[in-house]
Amino acid sequence: MHFPIRVYYEDTDAGGVVYHANYLNFFERARTEFLRQYNFSQQALFGQSLAFVVKKIEIEYKLPARLDDLLNVETTISEFKKATLVFKQTLWKQDICLSEATVTVASVDLVKMKPVAIPDDIRQALQKINFSI
């Protein structure tokens, strides 16, 4: 899935370069839209006392994004386990890779605050994607 991002003034430091923590926001938005594409909204999941929370993130900054850049976040799932998903995300400016992230999210019961199996409806919907589950 591809998700467009425009860099706004609020995303940058005084020099017009995207502040490093804001890349996490860009990747978070893209993961949310990835799930929404398969008809799973965060709000609906909360209604089921379920959330996907970041368990681990690895990020590599290659080149800076700057004010007014039009970027694209590419999101795929590289691993699918009982209670976790591993997303591979790449931030592009045209055909130039600016950053790459590997994000592991866990399916968590919000009442017990413990990991739970990813619901079958989500698992089945994500099976349509081109990777082995």
Side-chain angles (χ1 to χ4, degrees):
M1 188 208 122
H2 296 272
F3 180 69
I5 300 274
R6 173 72 69 182
V7 177
Y8 297 110
Y9 183 75
E10 67 188 25
D11 300 318
T12 65
D13 61 17
V17 174
V18 173
Y19 181 66
H20 72 277
N22 286 329
Y23 288 79
L24 300 175
N25 295 332
F26 298 161
F27 289 135
E28 176 74 29
R29 289 178 207 155
R31 287 192 311 278
T32 296
E33 293 304 322
F34 181 94
L35 290 173
R36 190 184 315 276
Q37 177 182 333
Y38 293 95
N39 298 315
F40 298 104
S41 76
Q42 300 286 11
Q43 189 169 2
L45 294 174
F46 289 162
Q48 300 172 31
S49 295
L50 180 76
F52 286 109
V53 298
V54 173
K55 179 180 177 188
K56 178 181 176 182
I57 188 164
E58 296 176 31
I59 189 167
E60 181 178 355
Y61 302 98
K62 297 178 178 228
L63 292 168
R66 298 180 184 276
L67 181 63
D68 289 331
D69 281 352
L70 181 58
L71 309 174
N72 183 44
V73 180
E74 182 180 2
T75 302
T76 60
I77 295 176
S78 63
E79 290 181 51
F80 197 114
K81 297 181 182 174
K82 183 177 180 179
T84 60
L85 295 171
V86 178
F87 289 92
K88 295 288 186 183
Q89 295 186 275
T90 309
L91 182 68
W92 297 90
K93 180 181 175 185
Q94 296 174 352
D95 62 347
I96 300 167
C97 177
L98 303 183
S99 180
E100 293 178 319
T102 302
V103 184
T104 303
V105 298
S107 174
V108 173
D109 178 315
L110 292 174
V111 175
K112 297 177 183 175
M113 293 308 290
K114 302 236 181 212
V116 294
I118 296 168
D120 287 338
D121 58 335
I122 295 175
R123 181 179 298 279
Q124 290 169 5
L126 295 179
Q127 283 177 332
K128 297 175 184 177
I129 303 170
N130 229 1
F131 65 92
S132 298
I133 296 179

